[in-house]
Amino acid sequence: MNEYGQVYRALALNKTINERGFRLFKRKSMINIEGLTKIYGEQKAVDDISFKVEKGEILGFLGPNGAGKTTTMKIITCYMPPTMGKVTVGGFSVIDNSIDVRRMIGYLPESNPLYGDMNVVDFLRYVADLRNIKGEYQGKRIHEMVDICNLGDVLHKNINELSKGYRQRVGLAQAMIHDPEILILDEPTIGLDPNQVVDIRTLIKELGRQKTVILSTHILSEVQATCDRAVIIHHGKIVADSTLSELQRDLQNKITINLEMIVDENNVVEQLEKVEGIEEVLETFPDDASGKNYRIIASAGVDPRREIFKCAVDTGWVIIGLEREVRSLEDVFHQLTQEN
Amino acid sequence: MQNIWSIFKRELRAYFDSPIAYVVITVFLLFTGWYFTTYFFLAGQADLRVILGIIPFAFLIITPAITMRLISEERKTGTMELLVTMPIHDSSIIVGKYLAAVALLIAMILPTLVYGITVAFLGDMDYGPAIGGYLGFLFIGAAYLAIGTLGSSLTENQVVAFIISLLIMAAFYLMDKILIFIPNSMVSIVEYLAIVYHFQNISRGVIDTRDLVYYLTLISLALFLATRAMAARRKR
């Protein structure tokens, strides 16, 4: 009895040490959002959302216009306080330790507001001053930013005279000048030409190795190209939060099939719906169709093409097209954010 | 402190990079110069008293023009979002901007020293009131500018900011001119609140702490309210 007791206690102790150790070494979330709600007047712009962003993670924040992306970002960057909920950045609360939070964050707002009456160098100096980057280090940082964002040609031009692409790059330079732990970019590649888009995405990916990045966009290929994880938000609520590979795997789970057949009957849809493994059948009317077209959504994890073929053979339909649709992120996005 | 300095530098440059500073200074000098020379040549008086009387009125129009853009412009162009997401306190933003406006005011008053020098050469210069007068300009101007900063923090429209500021300033300006309509028991209170009353005290060459306290309180209160207004605006 005594012996057992000792062993048990030893095991229990070991377990606590392990747990504590685990807690000590576990990576702390950089950004932690819990039950965040923002109400403008009567409208809920953000409705009870929660998510975490780890250090070294690039999070794509997706959603249709007006879904609440920008509002959430404005709250994280301390531009406006939440109506309800808790937001901490690097352990600091956006309400109680707002200055500490702001120090850690580099922010590119949605409309990329800049002082039009200043030239690029003066503007970057001003931002560096406000960020408390002084003296030699300031010169070095500005130099680096000019290099990274390719601003060499416009250094002494007034910001008002710059093209949208250049303005966007000035905005990015401004956001990164203090080498922030966290970058929050609201639609960072808008207005850039395709080469610049590639450059900026590469840059974001590089930064994402050590820093934490949240970028919002409605360009889905951008998320595919740069992000580790995507949060899709719709009507102020999170409708999906997973790594990109998970997200795409989920999609593949439910197969969509496009079927084209030559038939005379009218009750094809009903008959098809009886086939095992089919969840939903829609008749579609593409322009270049030679037969009748159906869009079939299968139940999760089932590929019903064999059953469809059998059914067609049994009833005498002539299949002239039967293909499985490879679903892209666009489809997921569309499906998740559809109006019901 | 450093942030206030950074904001101050940027705002002052913005004044002189744009036509505002030059227009404001020119208008002010034309106005005061016209009054001064009229009295100097037509009335044959080498006296600073005229200038002392007219400047509080000139400030009434000029100072809201200086301050109207301070905060409303940032809100209109959206740069406010950039500014308030920097690690600086709202009060630093307000104070830095306000001090830039005060610096422009000083740049505007300095050329009028020419009148003083003229009087010193040609007439009987009474140094007490002259020095007091210039101190008074500074205080009354600084108080107006603080009210103007408050006006600018209330709206994103510069014209509206100008008008709000002008109305508040005019209320303070007119207070000691309507004393006859005010019940006797209230006269001393209203008189104490009147902005020109304290200016007259100082410009007599008597610097009383009560007058200084009045201006400093008015300035702090206006700037405090401006900070609150700026913070409240972004909560929406």
Side-chain angles (χ1 to χ4, degrees):
Chain A
M1 179 67 199
N2 217 352
E3 258 175 303
Y4 278 118
Q6 258 175 355
V7 169
Y8 181 73
R9 218 175 303 142
L11 278 175
L13 186 66
N14 200 11
K15 192 168 165 254
T16 354
I17 291 170
N18 276 344
E19 269 179 358
R20 202 173 296 155
F22 181 65
R23 215 171 295 140
L24 274 177
F25 292 112
K26 205 172 95 176
R27 275 191 311 183
K28 223 172 151 192
S29 297
M30 230 24 201
I31 299 172
N32 204 337
I33 297 174
E34 274 175 51
L36 172 65
T37 301
K38 178 77 191 177
I39 301 170
Y40 296 109
E42 303 210 327
Q43 195 202 344
K44 266 189 183 174
V46 175
D47 189 1
D48 192 23
I49 67 170
S50 302
F51 64 89
K52 287 177 182 176
V53 192
E54 307 294 335
K55 192 179 160 81
E57 194 171 33
I58 305 178
L59 177 79
F61 209 34
L62 276 166
N65 291 323
K69 299 182 302 251
T70 298
T71 305
T72 308
M73 291 182 138
K74 281 181 173 171
I75 292 168
I76 300 172
T77 54
C78 306
Y79 179 60
M80 47 166 85
T83 310
M84 266 180 283
K86 203 177 137 197
V87 178
T88 58
V89 176
F92 297 112
S93 150
V94 294
I95 294 171
D96 305 325
N97 308 90
S98 141
I99 297 276
D100 295 300
V101 172
R102 288 186 251 168
R103 211 167 273 143
M104 294 178 77
I105 292 179
Y107 178 36
L108 174 71
E110 185 187 26
S111 50
N112 187 21
L114 301 168
Y115 292 96
D117 57 331
M118 291 177 111
N119 70 37
V120 174
V121 179
D122 285 342
F123 173 68
L124 291 179
R125 272 197 203 119
Y126 178 49
V127 173
D129 277 345
L130 292 178
R131 292 274 184 197
N132 235 332
I133 298 167
K134 307 265 153 152
E136 230 171 82
Y137 183 58
Q138 182 182 92
K140 190 175 152 256
R141 282 306 295 171
I142 291 179
H143 204 84
E144 277 175 33
M145 285 305 110
V146 168
D147 257 11
I148 291 175
C149 300
N150 248 324
L151 292 168
D153 298 338
V154 296
L155 275 187
H156 297 285
K157 266 197 177 174
N158 258 16
I159 291 175
N160 263 346
E161 296 161 20
L162 299 183
S163 67
K164 190 134 202 280
Y166 271 117
R167 284 179 59 97
Q168 198 67 14
R169 284 185 272 164
V170 174
L172 275 166
Q174 163 278 121
M176 297 187 300
I177 198 150
H178 55 303
D179 197 18
E181 280 299 303
I182 297 165
L183 262 178
I184 298 200
L185 310 171
D186 207 344
E187 309 205 344
T189 55
I190 232 168
L192 300 180
D193 70 39
N195 291 332
Q196 294 162 353
V197 168
V198 173
D199 288 350
I200 293 298
R201 282 181 190 166
T202 319
L203 175 68
I204 292 171
K205 271 192 133 170
E206 251 165 57
L207 287 168
R209 276 194 219 129
Q210 292 132 34
K211 319 269 177 198
T212 308
V213 183
I214 299 186
L215 66 92
S216 87
T217 179
H218 38 233
I219 308 162
L220 294 146
S221 59
E222 188 152 295
V223 174
Q224 273 169 319
T226 45
C227 301
D228 309 318
R229 202 178 118 206
V231 166
I232 302 181
I233 180 169
H234 182 50
H235 284 323
K237 288 193 161 134
I238 291 181
V239 288
D241 175 2
S242 50
T243 62
L244 273 180
S245 44
E246 269 172 16
L247 206 59
Q248 265 158 335
R249 210 186 319 128
D250 283 354
L251 297 174
Q252 309 290 322
N253 239 341
K254 268 194 186 178
I255 294 167
T256 306
I257 290 156
N258 288 319
L259 175 67
E260 189 171 4
M261 299 193 296
I262 296 173
V263 278
D264 297 326
E265 295 160 60
N266 288 324
N267 60 342
V268 181
V269 172
E270 286 80 19
Q271 290 197 42
L272 274 172
E273 272 174 346
K274 280 179 204 145
V275 175
E276 199 182 326
I278 290 182
E279 205 170 271
E280 204 187 340
V281 181
L282 287 167
E283 186 161 5
T284 57
F285 304 94
D287 293 336
D288 55 346
S290 29
K292 284 190 172 175
N293 282 266
Y294 303 92
R295 189 177 162 85
I296 297 165
I297 295 164
S299 314
V302 184
D303 182 351
R305 281 179 291 183
R306 182 189 292 265
E307 301 302 320
I308 292 170
F309 186 77
K310 271 189 197 157
C311 170
V313 171
D314 290 347
T315 41
W317 298 334
V318 182
I319 295 182
I320 53 173
L322 177 64
E323 59 174 9
R324 175 175 164 177
E325 204 176 80
V326 179
R327 300 221 301 171
S328 63
L329 194 56
E330 262 90 357
D331 298 313
V332 189
F333 180 76
H334 187 70
Q335 188 194 328
L336 288 170
T337 58
Q338 238 168 16
E339 304 293 329
N340 286 324
Chain B
M1 244 351 248
Q2 276 186 328
N3 293 327
I4 295 179
W5 174 240
S6 308
I7 289 180
F8 169 80
K9 272 193 302 186
R10 135 89 197 146
E11 286 304 320
L12 195 58
R13 258 195 85 167
Y15 275 131
F16 283 95
D17 281 350
S18 69
I20 301 171
Y22 307 103
V23 170
V24 161
I25 291 175
T26 310
V27 169
F28 179 73
L29 290 181
L30 280 176
F31 187 74
T32 52
W34 180 70
Y35 261 85
F36 180 71
T37 43
T38 312
Y39 274 81
F40 190 70
F41 290 111
L42 297 182
Q45 286 183 324
D47 197 342
L48 272 183
R49 225 174 302 155
V50 185
I51 296 289
L52 294 184
I54 202 65
I55 278 185
F57 180 71
F59 277 179
L60 195 60
I61 312 295
I62 294 279
T63 51
I66 294 176
T67 52
M68 64 182 188
R69 56 166 282 283
L70 274 183
I71 293 143
S72 55
E73 192 185 36
E74 298 249 11
R75 193 174 291 136
K76 185 130 204 164
T77 58
T79 46
M80 185 56 93
E81 186 167 357
L82 209 61
L83 199 55
V84 299
T85 51
M86 297 280 165
I88 37 180
H89 291 283
D90 289 353
S91 54
S92 306
I93 298 174
I94 295 282
V95 172
K97 281 171 173 286
Y98 168 71
L99 290 179
V102 173
L104 176 60
L105 183 90
I106 292 171
M108 188 174 85
I109 303 175
L110 279 182
T112 64
L113 285 174
V114 172
Y115 312 146
I117 293 164
T118 314
V119 173
F121 273 105
L122 298 174
D124 293 324
M125 181 71 157
D126 198 347
Y127 284 96
I131 293 167
Y134 271 90
L135 265 179
F137 292 160
L138 199 60
F139 278 114
I140 199 171
Y144 278 152
L145 290 174
I147 293 171
T149 308
L150 171 61
S152 184
S153 72
L154 295 173
T155 167
E156 63 176 39
N157 186 318
Q158 294 195 29
V159 178
V160 175
F162 180 92
I163 293 168
I164 293 176
S165 312
L166 183 66
L167 286 176
I168 306 175
M169 289 173 194
F172 278 101
Y173 178 79
L174 291 174
M175 260 178 213
D176 64 344
K177 295 174 179 57
I178 52 161
L179 287 179
I180 38 167
F181 303 112
I182 286 173
N184 273 339
S185 54
M186 304 258 300
V187 164
S188 62
I189 298 169
V190 175
E191 194 177 48
Y192 185 79
L193 288 175
I195 206 163
V196 181
Y197 167 74
H198 299 277
F199 170 72
Q200 282 163 348
N201 285 348
I202 294 176
S203 67
R204 253 183 251 128
V206 188
I207 292 162
D208 189 339
T209 36
R210 269 181 305 173
D211 302 321
L212 296 187
V213 166
Y214 169 81
Y215 282 121
L216 293 179
T217 312
L218 187 58
I219 291 167
S220 323
L221 185 67
L223 294 184
F224 171 75
L225 291 176
T227 309
R228 296 309 293 265
M230 197 176 87
R233 280 264 146 179
R234 61 194 240 226
K235 289 199 168 143
R236 292 207 273 158

